[in-house]
């Protein structure tokens, strides 16, 4: 019910990605972890959020999470994640203080 004026739509062929390498204090690849990436804004924590991802590092410690919507995120490395635990607000809250802003 109305019209739009002065609207600019941008389309990019690039995909968003968070990439990195997880290593031990000695510099060896740390492969026995789960990397949880989640939004800094707690209002975006919900069970179907496309902004929460869990990835595993490869044998060289490299990891990548693709197609995250633009925003500010936090990253945590944990030794265990059960089923869909990472989708629950309580789990993300337990990681918040030990996570790093990216």
């Amino acid at each position: 019910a109305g019209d739009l004026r002065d609207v600019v739509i941008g389309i990019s062929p690039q995909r968003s990605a968070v990439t990195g390498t997880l290593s031990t204090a000695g510099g060896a690849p740390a492969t026995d972890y789960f990397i949880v990436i989640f939004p800094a804004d707690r209002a975006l924590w919900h069970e179907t959020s496309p902004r929460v991802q869990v990835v595993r590092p490869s044998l060289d410690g490299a990891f990548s999470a693709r197609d995250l919507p633009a925003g500010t995120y936090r990253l945590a490395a944990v030794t265990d994640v059960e089923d869909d635990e990472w989708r629950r607000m309580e789990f993300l809250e337990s990681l918040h203080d030990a996570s790093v802003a990216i």
Side-chain angles (χ1 to χ4, degrees):
D3 59 12
L4 297 174
R5 297 173 194 255
D6 301 320
V7 174
V8 177
I9 297 174
I11 299 174
S12 172
Q14 298 176 340
R15 297 173 69 183
S16 65
V18 173
T19 61
T21 304
L22 188 64
S23 59
T24 65
T31 59
D32 293 333
Y33 290 86
F34 294 84
I35 296 145
V36 183
I37 301 164
F38 58 101
D41 182 354
R42 286 174 170 89
L44 299 172
W45 297 358
H46 56 83
E47 289 189 9
T48 60
S49 178
R51 298 173 185 269
V52 181
Q53 290 190 25
V54 175
V55 296
R56 297 292 305 261
S58 62
L59 293 177
D60 64 355
F63 65 88
S64 178
R66 300 204 180 283
D67 298 328
L68 289 165
T72 304
Y73 287 86
R74 300 196 64 84
L75 184 144
V78 297
T79 56
D80 191 30
V81 177
E82 295 181 21
D83 298 328
D84 283 342
E85 176 182 41
W86 54 276
R87 294 191 176 275
R88 293 199 273 286
M89 183 178 252
E90 300 82 21
F91 179 72
L92 298 178
E93 190 63 53
S94 74
L95 298 179
H96 187 273
D97 291 345
S99 64
V100 294
I102 56 169

